[in-house]
């Protein structure tokens, strides 16, 4: 695995679960509203806007935490939807976000983005598996790839 692939994996291991959480209302209710858990909406915002992406301007994360232009576009839409929900959350609480009129749009966009990201990751794994299989056939060490 080269340095770029390693960096992508290190970023996506944070971004994909954050997007999946946004696409899952039962998770939001069970986990984010439980004060004893460490994951909350604030964690999601830091992941998607500060630490591993910039959902307001995701283009610069193409090749780092986002694989395709489609992921960039959907992340931008997700950022806009999250910001719109924030406009309805004057105290910036998770409860207010989850009650926002456009929260179903956040969930829908996150669902589409999660589907695309997981599909792209699975395609990457299939490609890696095929490369390793071909390397073994040729007698090369699979770790040399």
């Amino acid at each position: 695995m080269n340095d770029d692939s390693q960096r992508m994996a290190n970023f996506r291991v944070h971004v994909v679960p954050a997007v999946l959480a946004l696409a899952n209302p039962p998770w939001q209710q069970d986990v984010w509203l439980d004060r004893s858990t460490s994951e909350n909406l604030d964690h999601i915002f830091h992941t998607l806007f500060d630490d591993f992406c910039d959902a307001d301007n995701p283009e610069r994360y193409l090749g780092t935490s986002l694989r395709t232009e489609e992921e960039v576009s959907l992340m931008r839409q997700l950022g806009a939807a999250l910001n719109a929900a924030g406009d309805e959350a004057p105290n910036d609480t998770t409860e207010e976000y989850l009650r926002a009129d456009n929260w179903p749009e956040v969930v829908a966009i996150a669902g589409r983005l999660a589907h695309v990201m997981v599909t792209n990751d699975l395609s990457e794994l299939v490609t890696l598996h095929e490369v390793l299989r071909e390397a073994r056939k040729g007698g090369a060490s699979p770790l040399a790839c």
Side-chain angles (χ1 to χ4, degrees):
M1 179 179 278
N2 64 33
D3 288 343
D4 290 339
S5 296
Q6 185 65 43
R7 185 169 182 197
M8 171 81 71
N10 288 342
F11 274 53
R12 283 180 81 90
V13 75
H14 297 281
V15 173
V16 173
V19 172
L20 287 167
L22 284 169
N24 189 338
W27 176 267
Q28 297 160 13
Q29 294 292 321
D30 292 346
V31 176
W32 293 351
L33 297 179
D34 181 349
R35 303 277 184 233
S36 68
T37 64
S38 62
E39 183 185 316
N40 54 39
L41 188 55
D42 189 51
H43 167 78
I44 301 300
F45 270 94
H46 283 293
T47 298
L48 297 182
F49 286 91
D50 303 324
D51 300 336
F52 300 99
C53 195
D54 178 357
D56 289 323
N57 298 294
E59 295 79 10
R60 66 188 179 126
Y61 285 87
L62 182 62
T64 304
S65 59
L66 303 171
R67 289 189 188 282
T68 65
E69 291 289 343
E70 182 180 20
E71 289 182 6
V72 169
S73 176
L74 286 166
M75 183 62 76
R76 186 179 319 102
Q77 292 173 41
L78 181 58
L82 284 165
N83 288 326
D87 292 342
E88 295 182 55
N91 298 310
D92 204 31
T93 67
T94 299
E95 292 82 358
E96 290 173 330
Y97 274 90
L98 297 182
R99 286 192 306 264
D101 289 337
N102 81 317
W103 193 255
E105 180 181 356
V106 169
V107 172
I109 294 167
R112 289 194 299 275
L113 178 54
H115 175 79
V116 170
M117 292 182 93
V118 169
T119 298
N120 289 342
D121 285 352
L122 290 173
S123 294
E124 184 70 19
L125 284 172
V126 167
T127 300
L128 179 60
H129 174 74
E130 290 171 356
V131 166
L132 292 174
R133 185 176 43 159
E134 288 302 314
R136 278 189 219 113
K137 282 183 183 176
S141 168
L143 299 177
C145 295

